[in-house]
Amino acid sequence: MLLAHPALLTDLIHEYEMLSALDADDGGPAAQRRLDDIGYSLCVATGTGDVDAALVAARHRLPGAGVHDDSVLTAHPHRTSRVRRHR
């Protein structure tokens, strides 16, 4: 499996978190589409099937990530498994 460059992962995580914080679900179709696209990109870059798993995997691949980090993400209403497959 190819591994995404840490800089790409950092950018994707940052943009996903910013859009989530801005509540992209209520930001109209363009904002929602961008959030879905970033979620999909995170899944592809990490080899995962949902956004929560992709965020965890991406963070663990960043420099300085603890190998034995057993922290748990709290459920976030905007990070449910909404990854749409591109047609």
Side-chain angles (χ1 to χ4, degrees):
M1 180 173 129
L2 293 175
L3 297 178
H5 192 278
L8 171 68
L9 294 174
T10 300
D11 290 346
L12 289 171
I13 291 168
H14 180 71
E15 190 169 358
Y16 189 88
E17 288 175 344
M18 284 183 50
L19 283 170
S20 292
L22 294 173
D23 202 16
D25 281 336
D26 296 328
Q32 181 58 51
R33 175 70 178 168
R34 183 66 186 147
L35 185 65
D36 290 343
D37 287 347
I38 295 168
Y40 177 80
S41 296
L42 277 165
C43 288
V44 169
T46 58
T48 58
D50 69 62
V51 177
D52 285 328
L55 288 167
V56 170
R59 287 185 182 111
H60 279 262
R61 291 188 188 160
L62 297 179
V67 176
H68 299 290
D69 182 5
D70 61 355
S71 61
V72 177
L73 289 177
T74 58
H76 189 280
H78 303 294
R79 290 191 305 218
T80 56
S81 300
R82 297 186 323 233
V83 176
R84 284 188 287 185
R85 300 291 178 206
H86 290 268
R87 296 177 198 142

